[in-house]
Amino acid sequence: MHTPLLKKLILAVLGMFAFAFALVPLYDVFCDITGLNGKVDLVVAEKSKEIDKSRSVDVSFTTHAKSSAPFSVKAQQYSVTVQPGKLSEVEFVAQNLSDKARIMQAIPSVSPGQAAKYLHKLACFCFDQQSLEAHQTMKFTLRFYVDTELPADVQELTLSYTLYDITSNTAQITQTPNISDQLLSVVEHAHQRGHNNG
């Protein structure tokens, strides 16, 4: 008697599950198209082959420690004026503010977001996890350039770094011995079960 309604409810539930699974990749595609979140690829760029001397772009730098991450990272220059294609360097000073050794990971982003793909880094402390002893201070050099294809209406960029304390995450990985062997063992076991059941 209620079979049509039941079918509609089942289809609605299945549709919601499918939408939930598709939401993350759809959001990533949306961000790639619009540049909404300003994500920056953590890859080493190649040097630019040309310099646009007819224009200049102001690039400023900000940092923010996430939640209780005990780090201070500051650029020696709040902002620099660069020519697209020309390699520039900015020094950063990082400090572990805690009484214990910590591991820091910096995640960069650019605003306006659509300009993220036009900022290229050849050297950056964000490429690697940074180990700092208690109260240790370290200097890092950011080497970057702004692409000559940057849209003409973009005259200012802000490169922001969010700092994370990943000490506990790293410890969990190092305390798990031969994790690749364990994964291989699980795969082989599943494969063997498939043969036995077949």
Side-chain angles (χ1 to χ4, degrees):
M1 182 176 179
H2 298 289
T3 303
L5 177 61
L6 182 61
K7 287 181 179 179
K8 289 180 180 179
L9 289 174
I10 291 173
L11 287 174
V13 171
L14 291 175
M16 286 188 289
F17 272 112
F19 180 75
F21 279 112
L23 192 58
V24 173
L26 285 174
Y27 177 75
D28 286 340
V29 170
F30 175 75
C31 289
D32 287 340
I33 294 172
T34 62
L36 180 65
N37 62 359
K39 290 191 296 184
V40 178
D41 291 333
L42 295 179
V43 294
V44 179
E46 296 181 358
K47 289 186 68 174
S48 176
K49 296 179 180 178
E50 57 181 310
I51 297 175
D52 184 355
K53 297 182 179 180
S54 66
R55 61 181 294 205
S56 61
V57 179
D58 293 328
V59 182
S60 56
F61 309 95
T62 64
T63 60
H64 169 70
K66 190 69 174 177
S67 60
S68 59
F71 305 113
S72 171
V73 178
K74 294 182 179 179
Q76 297 289 72
Q77 299 168 267
Y78 171 72
S79 65
V80 294
T81 300
V82 301
Q83 293 177 326
K86 186 175 182 179
L87 191 64
S88 300
E89 293 188 357
V90 175
E91 295 290 328
F92 283 77
V93 177
Q95 184 180 13
N96 176 4
L97 304 175
S98 74
D99 296 326
K100 297 181 180 179
R102 296 286 180 181
I103 300 175
M104 178 185 76
Q105 178 67 63
I107 302 298
S109 62
V110 172
S111 61
Q114 66 268 25
K117 63 182 179 180
Y118 298 104
L119 193 146
H120 306 293
K121 299 182 297 302
L122 281 74
C124 180
F125 56 94
C126 63
F127 289 156
D128 302 297
Q129 301 170 358
Q130 304 298 336
S131 299
L132 291 92
E133 296 298 325
H135 300 291
Q136 181 183 7
T137 297
M138 295 181 69
K139 288 187 177 181
F140 300 104
T141 301
L142 168 67
R143 302 179 71 219
F144 75 98
Y145 68 91
V146 175
D147 202 298
T148 55
E149 297 299 318
L150 179 73
D153 61 330
V154 179
Q155 300 177 0
E156 297 180 2
L157 299 176
T158 299
L159 174 58
S160 302
Y161 289 100
T162 303
L163 312 174
Y164 293 88
D165 182 358
I166 61 169
T167 308
S168 58
N169 297 18
T170 307
Q172 289 174 5
I173 293 173
T174 56
Q175 288 172 5
T176 306
N178 301 322
I179 189 167
S180 59
D181 292 341
Q182 292 178 24
L183 290 172
L184 182 60
S185 176
V186 170
V187 172
E188 289 178 345
H189 180 65
H191 183 67
Q192 186 62 40
R193 285 183 60 189
H195 275 300
N196 292 341
N197 293 336

